[in-house]
Amino acid sequence: MAVDTLEQAESSTLSLDVEAVRRDFPILSRTVHGKPIVYLDNAATSQTPIPVIDTIRRYYLEENSNVHRGVHFLSQVATEKYEAARRRIATFLNSPVGCEVIFTRGTTDGINLVAQTYGRQHVGAGDEVLVSHLEHHSNIVPWQMLCEEKGARLRVIPINDRGEIIMESLDGLLTGKTKILALAHVSNALGTVNPVKEIIARAHERDIPVLLDGAQSAPHMPIDLKDLGADFFACSGHKMYGPTGIGILHGRAKVLNAMPPYQGGGDMIMSVSFEKTTFNSLPYKFEAGTPNIEGVIALGAAVDYLEHLGMDNIAAHERDLVAYATEALREVKGLTIIGTAKAKAGVISFVMESAHPHDIGQILDDEGVAIRVGHHCAQPVMARFGIPATARASFAAYNTRDEIDALVRALHKVNEVFG
Amino acid sequence: MADSRSLYEQVILDHNKKPRNFGKIENADAEIEGFNPLCGDHFTIYVKMEGDRIREVAFDGAGCAISKSSASIMTTTLKGKTIEEAKKIFEAFHQMVTSAPDAEFDADALGKLQVFSGVREYPVRIKCATLAWHALVAALEGQTEEPVTTE
């Protein structure tokens, strides 16, 4: 079934066959509280298609072993699959020559890695680290901790009332003191797509390296790191149809080589004595300990799946859903969309006059509609709009206009209960 | 899991829409903030004492229907109660919302607060129901320096 779907998706270059895609995600056919599930919490975690589930199953049925260690057959199979996944992921990101893919636990882990190695090496007293007002806490707190330790200053690129970065402010913020710019590619709270190519170019004019938080972009649009030129790019497997606990950090070999290791342990060493340890070469220097092997192999399968669907097709489908939902939500009394950027991907955040987001989420759950409510780990964004929380619907390739209609019907119920 | 109509009792919806004792008390004897960092619910509780008796109690701030109505009903329940009585009621309330859905509770001690028994079906909402109470108890115990959080 899964294979058929992949072939259909491949043969259709114009758009997604969403019904076929849905058949690849068995969880979507279950019910919640007796109603068909309407899963609109993809910015938190996406669902997992059969090819990825099968890959994990096959790994434990036929391939399970440790990597980079054994001379025996299974270890070689596991190592081969692990490294093949790395190469596929590099291709998926259009990784330029001279760059490396490092496996992490997720985006948060990748950002912490850079803050604790590159950051500690380059940021000193009086220096500045630049982030935007749109960041997820995971792209604020690691830098804040670093700044506190070093006596450096965290500065923030402001956003306008639509939730877009104020580009005019960049000149004053990218200065000789700025040691790194850490920026969301897509805002998890509002869905804003930042003009990262232009921002990276402007940072590079001043020799400032840029870390892109790609947690919300990698699942939803083609990522071309050769074109973007980001110095570091971090993303998470579980938001791109892969499993939890696995993520990617992409960086330039030259920079990564000059960085101190993040964690010490097995696999990241060349030789160890009590007097001195020689660290391993890239990417192993940053992969201490037995890695999440089935996670890496399954993420390779997830990336294959995304490519079979076609990132352009996914982006076009989700653009349609955002446009349709933006229009459909207008008919819900007292509803205001938060974040009205011209370029948005996959996310609609909103508040309602009649009900707090927590209560919205509760009533929607009765109807089988799963959304996220709260501050979305982006409290500065909430503060910017003067609200404590929002309700957030976020989309994936398998969502449909019918599901948005179900969301709207459930929101009318919220008004019935609390209006 | 139950339909959330069992959570949103009419009394709760009423207090959510028209919270009682909502606003600041000038010259309060104690004033304490309570917030839930997970969902951003944020209230300030004001208490005016007469000896060891609560003469006035009020609140302001913002939160979900459960936290807001719980704060509202708390103020109507505790007005005129002694510190000891207030703590006993809180204990009974806390015990009810954190117990198993079919557990018995002290209906006499709880009175109107029984409307929150539905919270037992929704463990993530316990913190909403108890937020204002934790803040008030801290205030009664003289711990007003640090805001009270549910985390």
Side-chain angles (χ1 to χ4, degrees):
Chain A
M1 182 171 81
V3 172
D4 288 345
T5 305
L6 292 181
E7 282 169 6
Q8 283 165 16
E10 271 184 327
S11 66
S12 143
T13 50
L14 287 175
S15 63
L16 291 178
D17 178 352
V18 180
E19 283 314 310
V21 174
R22 289 181 72 80
R23 285 195 292 275
D24 287 336
F25 292 82
I27 202 169
L28 298 176
S29 58
R30 69 159 292 169
T31 56
V32 167
H33 310 313
K35 312 238 165 76
I37 190 167
V38 174
Y39 189 79
L40 301 176
D41 194 18
N42 297 286
T45 286
S46 55
Q47 296 301 343
T48 316
I50 288 171
V52 174
I53 297 170
D54 283 349
T55 299
I56 297 170
R57 186 177 149 80
R58 187 167 56 241
Y59 174 74
Y60 281 111
L61 286 176
E62 297 172 15
E63 301 155 356
N64 180 35
S65 189
N66 212 324
V67 290
H68 308 135
R69 283 162 178 77
V71 294
H72 60 77
F73 178 80
L74 285 184
S75 177
Q76 288 181 39
V77 170
T79 303
E80 212 168 277
K81 297 242 168 177
Y82 184 88
E83 293 305 330
R86 196 192 304 273
R87 290 191 295 275
R88 267 140 63 203
I89 288 161
T91 307
F92 175 75
L93 297 173
N94 199 23
S95 169
V97 176
C99 287
E100 293 280 354
V101 167
I102 293 161
F103 291 117
T104 62
R105 285 192 294 133
T107 308
T108 299
D109 193 33
I111 296 169
N112 275 279
L113 188 159
V114 176
Q116 288 300 312
T117 58
Y118 184 89
R120 288 177 85 175
Q121 199 173 35
H122 289 91
V123 177
D127 287 339
E128 292 175 357
V129 172
L130 186 59
V131 298
S132 87
H133 209 123
L134 284 169
E135 303 310 314
H136 186 284
H137 294 167
S138 64
N139 204 22
I140 299 171
V141 182
W143 303 112
Q144 215 162 33
M145 288 163 66
L146 174 71
C147 288
E148 192 144 311
E149 179 188 319
K150 296 289 186 177
R153 183 174 169 209
L154 187 69
R155 300 197 71 187
V156 183
I157 308 171
I159 54 173
N160 64 25
D161 291 341
R162 291 188 300 273
E164 297 165 322
I165 279 181
I166 299 175
M167 296 295 281
E168 297 73 33
S169 68
L170 280 176
D171 278 333
L173 288 166
L174 292 166
T175 72
K177 290 181 178 172
T178 316
K179 294 299 169 193
I180 188 165
L181 164 60
L183 180 68
H185 195 171
V186 173
S187 154
N188 75 304
L190 306 180
T192 310
V193 182
N194 286 325
V196 292
K197 192 177 172 186
E198 185 186 341
I199 297 173
I200 291 168
R202 288 179 61 179
H204 283 177
E205 280 169 19
R206 295 167 176 81
D207 293 324
I208 298 166
V210 180
L211 176 144
L212 265 197
D213 170 354
Q216 300 294 343
S217 60
H220 302 295
M221 58 185 68
I223 302 294
D224 185 341
L225 291 181
K226 201 171 174 179
D227 180 53
L228 291 177
D231 301 85
F232 298 103
F233 181 87
C235 60
S236 297
H238 71 104
K239 295 187 199 293
M240 40 202 289
Y241 309 148
T244 55
I246 188 68
I248 298 161
L249 176 68
H250 180 275
R252 291 182 209 289
K254 210 174 143 191
V255 179
L256 293 166
N257 267 322
M259 283 157 53
Y262 180 37
Q263 294 176 324
D267 230 19
M268 56 78 73
I269 51 88
M270 198 73 83
S271 69
V272 176
S273 73
F274 286 115
E275 287 71 38
K276 180 157 180 64
T277 292
T278 310
F279 301 125
N280 205 341
S281 56
L282 292 172
Y284 312 109
K285 180 172 128 184
F286 291 103
E287 293 178 359
T290 296
N292 180 354
I293 303 166
E294 95 271 16
V296 166
I297 296 172
L299 182 54
V303 158
D304 283 349
Y305 185 80
L306 285 165
E307 283 186 332
H308 278 295
L309 298 186
M311 294 311 294
D312 284 319
N313 294 335
I314 293 173
H317 175 65
E318 292 177 3
R319 253 197 314 277
D320 174 71
L321 292 177
V322 170
Y324 183 79
T326 303
E327 198 55 37
L329 290 175
R330 276 179 209 271
E331 67 171 76
V332 179
K333 196 172 149 254
L335 185 147
T336 306
I337 291 176
I338 306 294
T340 49
K342 283 188 201 96
K344 270 175 83 167
V347 168
I348 295 193
S349 243
F350 58 91
V351 293
M352 290 172 78
E353 273 169 29
S354 70
H356 185 278
H358 238 179
D359 300 314
I360 298 172
Q362 193 85 57
I363 300 294
L364 262 52
D365 183 61
D366 280 350
E367 304 302 316
V369 179
I371 61 160
R372 168 94 183 257
V373 297
H375 54 57
H376 317 296
C377 298
Q379 284 179 328
V381 176
M382 301 296 115
R384 171 64 178 74
F385 288 91
I387 48 177
T390 73
R392 179 188 73 183
S394 55
F395 309 120
Y398 40 71
N399 289 124
T400 64
R401 287 184 171 200
D402 285 348
E403 290 183 305
I404 290 163
D405 293 340
L407 167 71
V408 170
R409 282 194 300 276
L411 291 171
H412 286 313
K413 292 218 165 163
V414 173
N415 273 334
E416 279 168 30
V417 173
F418 294 100
Chain B
M1 193 181 277
D3 187 299
S4 65
R5 269 172 296 189
S6 69
L7 180 65
Y8 297 115
E9 292 267 354
Q10 208 48 52
V11 176
I12 290 177
L13 294 175
D14 172 56
H15 277 260
N16 176 51
K17 234 177 168 175
K18 290 174 288 186
R20 321 295 199 265
N21 302 305
F22 190 75
K24 192 177 159 83
I25 297 178
E26 297 299 336
N27 311 315
D29 294 311
E31 181 178 324
I32 188 164
E33 285 176 68
F35 67 93
N36 180 343
L38 280 183
C39 54
D41 288 359
H42 194 161
F43 294 105
T44 304
I45 313 287
Y46 307 91
V47 192
K48 216 170 168 72
M49 302 297 293
E50 198 168 65
D52 74 339
R53 208 169 275 281
I54 298 167
R55 202 177 79 187
E56 269 185 82
V57 51
F59 77 106
D60 60 17
C64 67
I66 301 298
S67 62
K68 197 177 186 184
S69 60
S70 175
S72 172
I73 296 174
M74 176 185 81
T75 62
T76 60
T77 306
L78 298 187
K79 202 168 174 177
K81 297 282 192 293
T82 66
I83 292 177
E84 278 318 301
E85 287 167 343
K87 283 187 186 171
K88 277 214 176 90
I89 294 169
F90 173 58
E91 263 170 45
F93 179 68
H94 193 262
Q95 194 260 328
M96 176 185 74
V97 295
T98 55
S99 63
D102 54 355
E104 292 193 6
F105 50 82
D106 189 347
D108 290 341
L110 287 164
K112 207 182 220 178
L113 293 167
Q114 290 174 69
V115 295
F116 291 99
S117 63
V119 168
R120 299 179 301 175
E121 304 260 7
Y122 300 89
V124 294
R125 307 303 295 269
I126 293 169
K127 286 174 178 172
C128 311
T130 56
L131 174 61
W133 291 82
H134 281 297
L136 178 79
V137 168
L140 293 178
E141 289 175 348
Q143 299 162 10
T144 54
E145 293 300 310
E146 292 283 322
V148 174
T149 87
T150 55
E151 293 307 300

Short mmCIF file of all heavy atoms in Angstrom, two decimals, chain A residues 56-78:
data_model
loop_
_atom_site.label_atom_id
_atom_site.label_comp_id
_atom_site.label_asym_id
_atom_site.label_seq_id
_atom_site.Cartn_x
_atom_site.Cartn_y
_atom_site.Cartn_z
N ILE A 56 11.77 1.18 10.98
CA ILE A 56 12.14 0.95 12.37
C ILE A 56 11.94 -0.53 12.72
O ILE A 56 12.77 -1.17 13.36
CB ILE A 56 11.29 1.84 13.31
CG1 ILE A 56 11.57 3.32 13.03
CG2 ILE A 56 11.57 1.50 14.78
CD1 ILE A 56 10.63 4.28 13.72
N ARG A 57 10.82 -1.05 12.25
CA ARG A 57 10.51 -2.47 12.51
C ARG A 57 11.58 -3.38 11.90
O ARG A 57 12.09 -4.29 12.55
CB ARG A 57 9.12 -2.75 11.92
CG ARG A 57 8.57 -4.10 12.22
CD ARG A 57 7.15 -4.21 11.62
NE ARG A 57 6.88 -5.58 11.22
CZ ARG A 57 6.50 -6.52 12.07
NH1 ARG A 57 6.35 -6.25 13.34
NH2 ARG A 57 6.29 -7.75 11.64
N ARG A 58 11.93 -3.09 10.65
CA ARG A 58 12.92 -3.93 9.97
C ARG A 58 14.27 -3.81 10.67
O ARG A 58 15.00 -4.79 10.81
CB ARG A 58 13.04 -3.51 8.50
CG ARG A 58 13.94 -4.45 7.68
CD ARG A 58 13.78 -4.21 6.19
NE ARG A 58 14.07 -2.82 5.87
CZ ARG A 58 13.21 -1.97 5.32
NH1 ARG A 58 11.98 -2.37 5.02
NH2 ARG A 58 13.56 -0.73 5.05
N TYR A 59 14.59 -2.63 11.15
CA TYR A 59 15.87 -2.44 11.83
C TYR A 59 15.97 -3.40 13.01
O TYR A 59 16.98 -4.09 13.19
CB TYR A 59 16.05 -0.99 12.29
CG TYR A 59 17.30 -0.81 13.13
CD1 TYR A 59 18.55 -0.83 12.53
CD2 TYR A 59 17.22 -0.68 14.51
CE1 TYR A 59 19.71 -0.72 13.29
CE2 TYR A 59 18.37 -0.57 15.28
CZ TYR A 59 19.60 -0.59 14.66
OH TYR A 59 20.74 -0.50 15.43
N TYR A 60 14.91 -3.45 13.83
CA TYR A 60 14.98 -4.32 15.01
C TYR A 60 14.77 -5.78 14.67
O TYR A 60 15.25 -6.66 15.40
CB TYR A 60 13.98 -3.83 16.08
CG TYR A 60 14.54 -2.65 16.82
CD1 TYR A 60 13.99 -1.38 16.68
CD2 TYR A 60 15.67 -2.79 17.64
CE1 TYR A 60 14.52 -0.29 17.33
CE2 TYR A 60 16.21 -1.69 18.29
CZ TYR A 60 15.64 -0.44 18.14
OH TYR A 60 16.18 0.63 18.78
N LEU A 61 14.09 -6.05 13.56
CA LEU A 61 13.91 -7.46 13.18
C LEU A 61 15.16 -8.03 12.53
O LEU A 61 15.47 -9.20 12.70
CB LEU A 61 12.72 -7.60 12.22
CG LEU A 61 11.33 -7.47 12.83
CD1 LEU A 61 10.27 -7.53 11.74
CD2 LEU A 61 11.09 -8.57 13.87
N GLU A 62 15.89 -7.20 11.79
CA GLU A 62 16.96 -7.76 10.94
C GLU A 62 18.32 -7.10 11.03
O GLU A 62 19.31 -7.67 10.57
CB GLU A 62 16.52 -7.68 9.47
CG GLU A 62 15.28 -8.49 9.16
CD GLU A 62 14.77 -8.23 7.74
OE1 GLU A 62 15.53 -7.66 6.94
OE2 GLU A 62 13.61 -8.57 7.47
N GLU A 63 18.40 -5.89 11.58
CA GLU A 63 19.66 -5.14 11.42
C GLU A 63 20.28 -4.64 12.71
O GLU A 63 21.38 -4.10 12.70
CB GLU A 63 19.40 -3.92 10.52
CG GLU A 63 18.88 -4.28 9.14
CD GLU A 63 18.07 -3.15 8.49
OE1 GLU A 63 17.85 -2.11 9.14
OE2 GLU A 63 17.66 -3.32 7.34
N ASN A 64 19.60 -4.79 13.83
CA ASN A 64 20.02 -4.13 15.08
C ASN A 64 21.43 -4.53 15.52
O ASN A 64 21.73 -5.70 15.71
CB ASN A 64 19.03 -4.48 16.20
CG ASN A 64 19.41 -3.83 17.51
OD1 ASN A 64 19.93 -2.72 17.53
ND2 ASN A 64 19.17 -4.52 18.61
N SER A 65 22.28 -3.53 15.68
CA SER A 65 23.64 -3.74 16.15
C SER A 65 24.25 -2.37 16.39
O SER A 65 23.66 -1.35 16.03
CB SER A 65 24.44 -4.50 15.10
OG SER A 65 25.68 -4.87 15.62
N ASN A 66 25.46 -2.34 17.01
CA ASN A 66 26.10 -1.03 17.21
C ASN A 66 26.86 -0.64 15.95
O ASN A 66 27.25 -1.49 15.16
CB ASN A 66 27.01 -1.07 18.43
CG ASN A 66 27.05 0.29 19.12
OD1 ASN A 66 27.01 1.33 18.45
ND2 ASN A 66 27.11 0.30 20.43
N VAL A 67 27.04 0.69 15.80
CA VAL A 67 27.71 1.20 14.59
C VAL A 67 29.18 1.51 14.85
O VAL A 67 29.57 1.78 15.99
CB VAL A 67 27.01 2.47 14.05
CG1 VAL A 67 25.66 2.13 13.47
CG2 VAL A 67 26.89 3.53 15.13
N HIS A 68 29.95 1.50 13.79
CA HIS A 68 31.36 1.93 13.81
C HIS A 68 32.23 1.10 14.75
O HIS A 68 33.26 1.57 15.19
CB HIS A 68 31.50 3.41 14.21
CG HIS A 68 30.63 4.32 13.41
ND1 HIS A 68 29.89 5.32 14.00
CD2 HIS A 68 30.37 4.39 12.09
CE1 HIS A 68 29.22 5.96 13.06
NE2 HIS A 68 29.49 5.41 11.89
N ARG A 69 31.79 -0.08 15.15
CA ARG A 69 32.56 -0.81 16.16
C ARG A 69 32.88 -2.23 15.76
O ARG A 69 33.95 -2.73 16.02
CB ARG A 69 31.77 -0.86 17.48
CG ARG A 69 31.79 0.44 18.25
CD ARG A 69 30.66 0.45 19.26
NE ARG A 69 30.67 1.66 20.09
CZ ARG A 69 30.24 2.84 19.68
NH1 ARG A 69 29.79 2.98 18.45
NH2 ARG A 69 30.28 3.88 20.49
N GLY A 70 31.89 -2.90 15.16
CA GLY A 70 32.02 -4.35 15.02
C GLY A 70 32.63 -4.74 13.69
O GLY A 70 32.48 -4.06 12.68
N VAL A 71 33.30 -5.85 13.68
CA VAL A 71 33.73 -6.43 12.41
C VAL A 71 32.66 -7.41 11.93
O VAL A 71 32.73 -7.91 10.82
CB VAL A 71 35.07 -7.18 12.53
CG1 VAL A 71 36.19 -6.22 12.85
CG2 VAL A 71 35.00 -8.28 13.58
N HIS A 72 31.68 -7.66 12.79
CA HIS A 72 30.69 -8.67 12.41
C HIS A 72 29.64 -8.11 11.46
O HIS A 72 29.51 -6.89 11.29
CB HIS A 72 30.05 -9.30 13.66
CG HIS A 72 29.32 -8.33 14.54
ND1 HIS A 72 28.08 -7.85 14.22
CD2 HIS A 72 29.68 -7.76 15.71
CE1 HIS A 72 27.69 -7.02 15.18
NE2 HIS A 72 28.64 -6.95 16.10
N PHE A 73 28.92 -9.01 10.86
CA PHE A 73 27.99 -8.68 9.77
C PHE A 73 26.96 -7.62 10.16
O PHE A 73 26.77 -6.62 9.46
CB PHE A 73 27.28 -9.97 9.32
CG PHE A 73 26.27 -9.74 8.24
CD1 PHE A 73 26.66 -9.59 6.91
CD2 PHE A 73 24.91 -9.67 8.53
CE1 PHE A 73 25.73 -9.36 5.91
CE2 PHE A 73 23.97 -9.44 7.53
CZ PHE A 73 24.38 -9.29 6.22
N LEU A 74 26.27 -7.84 11.29
CA LEU A 74 25.19 -6.92 11.64
C LEU A 74 25.70 -5.51 11.89
O LEU A 74 25.06 -4.53 11.52
CB LEU A 74 24.43 -7.44 12.87
CG LEU A 74 23.47 -8.60 12.64
CD1 LEU A 74 22.73 -8.94 13.94
CD2 LEU A 74 22.45 -8.27 11.54
N SER A 75 26.85 -5.42 12.53
CA SER A 75 27.41 -4.09 12.80
C SER A 75 27.71 -3.37 11.49
O SER A 75 27.52 -2.16 11.37
CB SER A 75 28.68 -4.21 13.64
OG SER A 75 29.22 -2.93 13.83
N GLN A 76 28.15 -4.13 10.51
CA GLN A 76 28.45 -3.51 9.22
C GLN A 76 27.17 -3.07 8.52
O GLN A 76 27.13 -1.99 7.90
CB GLN A 76 29.24 -4.48 8.35
CG GLN A 76 30.67 -4.62 8.86
CD GLN A 76 31.49 -5.56 8.00
OE1 GLN A 76 31.37 -5.55 6.78
NE2 GLN A 76 32.32 -6.36 8.64
N VAL A 77 26.12 -3.88 8.64
CA VAL A 77 24.83 -3.50 8.02
C VAL A 77 24.31 -2.22 8.68
O VAL A 77 23.92 -1.26 8.01
CB VAL A 77 23.78 -4.63 8.18
CG1 VAL A 77 22.39 -4.15 7.76
CG2 VAL A 77 24.19 -5.84 7.35
N ALA A 78 24.33 -2.20 10.03
CA ALA A 78 23.82 -1.02 10.75
C ALA A 78 24.64 0.22 10.40
O ALA A 78 24.08 1.30 10.15
CB ALA A 78 23.86 -1.28 12.26
#
